[in-house]
Amino acid sequence: MPAKSKTVYLCSQCGFESPKWYGKCPSCGEWNTLNEEFRVPEKAASAERRGASASISSKIGDISPTGEKRYKTGLKELDRVLGGGIVHGALMLIGGDPGIGKSTLLLQICQHLGKALKILYVSGEESARQIKLRADRLQVHSDNLYVLCETDMETVLEHFRSDAPDLVIIDSIQTMNLAGVASSSGSVAQVRECTNAIMHVAKGADIPVFIVGHVNKDGAIAGPKVMEHIVDCVLHFEGDRNTSYRILRCVKNRYGSTNEIGVFEMRDQGLREVENASKMLLDGRPTNVSGTCVACIMEGTRPLLAEVQGLVSPTGFGNPRRMATGFDYNRLSLLLAVLEKRGGYYFSNLDAYVNVVGGLRLDEPAADLPVALSLISSLKDKALGDDVVAFGEIGLAGEIRSVTNAENRINEAVRMGFQKIVLPYHNLRTLPKRDGVKLIGVKMLRDAYEALG
Ligand code: TYD
Ligand code: MG
């Protein structure tokens, strides 16, 4: 007798499950995210799980440490983000907006990985012809790359066993469909059960798997959020679609640090690694112009230089406008208040705009000082100098507070040929003296601009 299906409501944001519908998810607080799903009590996935799991415990000393051998992807930036390459049996999720380059990145690494590994590329989105066209463009012609256009999860898992691949790419999890789950592809239940099913087969056979997951803001399709605790690594591919730079960020990694980022540039022939990201971000910088300042921020363990531009102009009528691109709007309001109250720079009848060049987002407190300096420079209509880099957090009392990794930041600035570095005084105290570069330690915001004068 077929098992009776039961109606449950699942939140598409956090995966919260409830027997009753709510307008607002009681778990994550999002509105209108609970969707009706049908559940068959005995699921194919869970039956498989029971069969696959080994039920003996072993001493930790007896477990052979095979985890350290990693496959290199041929892209150093990606290897670094993964913590040194692909670990055997790892489940890696790549999330990102549609069209950002997830499929491109994964197809591209097949050329290098295909030299030694047998790769199965499963696509539920594109036809084999489309993949071939893209592969030609990316110059991927490995003999070890097998393409499977399929959306049925059971069939895909069957190929895991019959083809015995060394690496599998699933593009994308939202298109996969497990017959035992009575809801449509892309629903939370499908995504979760498919990921679970992949995990049990992949871990059993020690096959690393890349899973592509779409991020969708409206919540109709399950975001990769529900998979995040199942997989070993979660990578986010970000970038402004209008610019060609892409940043790969690691938000979860069971085999390495989560602080690393990789920088890529989307070209005609696919993604290209950007090793010197600071140079790329500073390219085409105007010289001797007021309202710009170079910031030195940390992206993970890597220092990056980015240009911050500030512009102030008289308000036409009504309230002054404030706008920030690549910088937090509220933080900008706060900085303007501190500039007025503690620094004596008046912006109350001026519009103020801040823009970070290159589509980068400066979320780090160390970006406060360069933002403030660019605004003061625009207010005074006086250039700060082309060889100036600044970093430091600004407190509400108008003090410049110390930040982490001061030495790395200085090294990066010096490497890029900057000669004047404005930094928190408390950082300067702990640093050795350096030749050929002027380190300007400042205690208070009002001294920072004058110190450059
Ligand atoms: P894609 O990898 O299909 O995105 P996703 O899988 O994340 O949805 O990337 C598509 C975009 O990348 C598309 O807008 C075109 C661009 N692109 C290039 O600029 N150069 C290339 O060589 C390729 C293959 C794609
Ligand atoms: Mg794609």
Side-chain angles (χ1 to χ4, degrees):
M1 201 182 88
K4 200 164 164 277
S5 70
K6 182 177 131 204
T7 307
V8 291
Y9 294 88
L10 282 179
C11 171
S12 59
Q13 286 291 320
C14 66
F16 174 77
E17 189 182 309
S18 139
K20 176 172 150 228
W21 188 83
Y22 293 97
K24 182 180 174 185
C25 172
S27 168
C28 68
E30 281 294 315
W31 286 92
N32 214 8
T33 53
L34 263 71
N35 299 318
E36 187 177 5
E37 308 270 350
F38 297 101
R39 163 147 317 166
V40 182
E42 191 58 28
K43 286 188 293 301
S46 47
E48 184 151 354
R49 204 175 308 158
R50 277 204 298 275
S53 56
S55 53
I56 24 165
S57 55
S58 13
K59 266 194 202 170
I60 192 150
D62 297 342
I63 305 170
S64 62
T66 51
E68 253 330 281
K69 194 171 176 306
R70 293 176 186 248
Y71 302 130
K72 296 285 179 214
T73 62
L75 288 175
K76 284 203 205 76
E77 297 284 299
L78 177 59
D79 285 344
R80 200 188 32 220
V81 174
L82 289 171
I86 302 171
V87 178
H88 289 227
L91 224 60
M92 294 154 289
L93 175 67
I94 297 196
D97 290 335
I100 205 80
K102 301 179 293 294
S103 311
T104 308
L105 177 73
L106 293 180
L107 193 55
Q108 208 169 329
I109 57 172
C110 291
Q111 179 60 19
H112 181 87
L113 286 167
K115 287 178 192 155
L117 309 177
K118 183 172 174 185
I119 305 168
L120 178 64
Y121 186 101
V122 183
S123 179
E125 303 198 331
E126 290 161 293
S127 69
R129 281 253 313 282
Q130 282 172 313
I131 296 170
K132 172 72 181 151
L133 279 175
R134 191 201 293 254
D136 281 347
R137 174 126 69 121
L138 299 173
Q139 283 156 21
V140 175
H141 34 67
S142 169
D143 280 340
N144 275 333
L145 175 60
Y146 293 79
V147 174
L148 172 69
C149 295
E150 182 57 66
T151 56
D152 181 48
M153 200 68 243
E154 289 291 336
T155 317
V156 173
L157 293 177
E158 211 34 64
H159 278 270
F160 269 62
R161 299 182 192 107
S162 60
D163 295 3
D166 301 312
L167 173 76
V168 179
I169 296 169
I170 309 268
D171 188 1
S172 65
I173 191 74
Q174 271 84 8
T175 56
M176 293 297 142
N177 189 58
L178 201 60
V181 182
S183 54
S184 59
S185 320
S187 65
V188 183
Q190 278 288 1
V191 165
R192 197 178 49 198
E193 289 309 326
C194 287
T195 315
N196 261 325
I198 296 172
M199 178 181 86
H200 289 285
V201 177
K203 294 270 170 193
D206 220 11
I207 305 171
V209 183
F210 274 108
I211 301 175
V212 173
H214 290 267
V215 195
N216 217 335
K217 285 236 169 67
D218 64 24
I221 301 177
K225 270 267 174 277
V226 288
M227 299 180 268
E228 285 188 10
H229 42 263
I230 306 179
V231 300
D232 300 312
C233 295
V234 180
L235 309 177
H236 275 241
F237 211 20
E238 305 169 352
D240 188 4
R241 255 198 290 165
N242 302 321
T243 63
S244 54
Y245 309 126
R246 303 283 184 266
I247 292 178
L248 188 66
R249 200 183 289 278
C250 182
V251 292
K252 168 180 177 179
N253 195 349
R254 285 184 182 151
Y255 314 109
S257 138
T258 51
N259 290 324
E260 296 299 343
I261 64 158
V263 185
F264 297 90
E265 189 183 357
M266 182 63 96
R267 291 281 192 92
D268 284 350
Q269 297 191 330
L271 290 157
R272 213 191 48 139
E273 299 177 78
V274 177
E275 271 162 29
N276 195 346
S278 295
K279 180 170 178 298
M280 174 196 83
L281 288 165
L282 294 178
D283 254 357
R285 196 162 63 97
T287 51
N288 205 17
V289 181
S290 69
T292 97
C293 182
V294 175
C296 190
I297 51 143
M298 297 299 294
E299 281 286 359
T301 54
R302 168 164 34 167
L304 269 186
L305 299 184
E307 185 189 351
V308 181
Q309 299 186 324
L311 182 71
V312 294
S313 68
T315 305
F317 63 94
N319 290 334
R321 283 197 70 177
R322 274 88 178 83
M323 218 174 87
T325 314
F327 190 71
D328 184 48
Y329 176 85
N330 292 325
R331 191 84 196 162
L332 172 63
S333 306
L334 187 145
L335 286 181
L336 287 169
V338 176
L339 280 165
E340 285 217 15
K341 177 90 180 167
R342 309 287 183 190
Y345 302 101
Y346 291 97
F347 291 91
S348 48
N349 51 0
L350 297 168
D351 292 342
Y353 306 93
V354 167
N355 176 39
V356 180
V357 180
L360 203 71
R361 249 202 96 74
L362 308 186
D363 288 327
E364 212 207 344
D368 289 351
L369 185 57
V371 169
L373 283 175
S374 69
L375 287 167
I376 301 172
S377 158
S378 179
L379 181 77
K380 304 264 180 198
D381 204 11
K382 190 162 168 275
L384 293 174
D386 297 329
D387 55 349
V388 176
V389 167
F391 61 86
E393 178 179 353
I394 296 178
L396 293 190
E399 80 279 22
I400 311 289
R401 308 186 70 101
S402 56
V403 295
T404 53
N405 292 306
E407 201 152 359
N408 288 351
R409 296 180 206 251
I410 294 171
N411 289 344
E412 177 73 358
V414 171
R415 187 176 75 84
M416 294 303 295
F418 288 86
Q419 272 147 19
K420 278 189 199 161
I421 301 170
V422 187
L423 71 164
Y425 176 76
H426 296 285
N427 278 128
L428 184 65
R429 275 192 325 178
T430 60
L431 294 170
K433 273 212 157 16
R434 296 178 77 121
D435 296 333
V437 41
K438 194 168 165 201
L439 299 176
I440 307 169
V442 284
K443 280 184 183 158
M444 298 303 282
L445 178 57
R446 41 171 199 278
D447 310 330
Y449 179 74
E450 262 85 55
L452 284 167

